[in-house]
Amino acid sequence: MAENLIERSVRERVVHALTFEACAILSFTPIISVVTAKPLFDIGVLTLVISTVAIMWNMLYNYLFDRLQNHFRFRRGVWMRVVHAVMFEFGLIFFVVPMAAWWLSISLLEAFWLDIGILLMFLPYTMLFNYVYDKVRDRFFESANRSCQLEQ
């Protein structure tokens, strides 16, 4: 049986995207700096730029994904979450690789391999973050609905 239809406001999409990116930057920037032996500042600036692109992609991608879910009425089980995360991350490759190559003064191939490494970190992060977000969201709306029902 399909889950309830997903209707998210622009405000909620912005909160989701900003929370996702802030947690990612704080978690991964120091790791990437150590692994690449590049200065934390350089990696920090690059992650902020990539994050900005990712926020815009996140909002558009999740809006389109929600529309597909509403149209086809599929459930967000484990395999659908894998598809969701993989497609999101592959969409970013087209933006991230050229930016990383230019900013870090590395070849496109080196930037591609760096992006693959980051992708491998982000896949489980994306799945876990969205799972937790959906659970918190569901509880918040259940609680809000109960409060509204009590007031009536």
Side-chain angles (χ1 to χ4, degrees):
M1 184 171 171
E3 293 178 10
N4 294 334
L5 296 178
I6 304 294
E7 296 295 331
R8 297 179 193 209
S9 68
V10 171
R11 180 179 177 189
E12 181 182 355
R13 289 182 192 288
V14 169
V15 167
H16 175 269
L18 291 175
T19 304
F20 178 91
E21 293 301 326
C23 291
I25 289 170
L26 292 172
S27 300
F28 295 124
T29 300
I31 296 168
I32 297 167
S33 177
V34 168
V35 169
T36 62
K38 297 287 184 179
L40 186 61
F41 177 79
D42 290 350
I43 297 298
V45 170
L46 179 62
T47 57
L48 284 174
V49 170
I50 292 170
S51 178
T52 302
V53 170
I55 285 171
M56 292 184 285
W57 172 236
N58 186 317
M59 290 189 303
L60 175 63
Y61 178 80
N62 284 305
Y63 170 77
L64 295 172
F65 195 86
D66 290 350
R67 301 256 330 200
L68 283 173
Q69 182 178 5
N70 289 342
H71 180 74
F72 291 107
R73 300 191 184 278
F74 57 81
R75 213 173 63 70
R76 286 194 194 197
V78 172
W79 287 110
M80 190 51 64
R81 288 184 186 281
V82 169
V83 168
H84 179 270
V86 168
M87 296 304 294
F88 175 81
E89 294 302 333
F90 278 115
L92 282 179
I93 285 175
F94 296 106
F95 302 108
V96 171
V97 169
M99 279 192 291
W102 174 76
W103 183 251
L104 298 175
S105 299
I106 59 178
S107 72
L108 286 172
L109 184 60
E110 289 172 310
F112 175 76
W113 286 116
L114 174 62
D115 191 59
I116 294 300
I118 293 169
L119 172 76
L120 292 174
M121 290 189 311
F122 263 82
L123 283 174
Y125 169 77
T126 300
M127 288 174 52
L128 180 62
F129 180 90
N130 284 309
Y131 175 79
V132 170
Y133 181 88
D134 288 347
K135 292 296 183 191
V136 170
R137 180 186 188 276
D138 290 347
R139 286 194 179 147
F140 173 78
F141 281 109
E142 284 174 15
S143 174
N145 286 339
R146 267 189 257 122
S147 294
C148 287
Q149 290 171 352
L150 290 174
E151 290 175 8
Q152 294 175 0

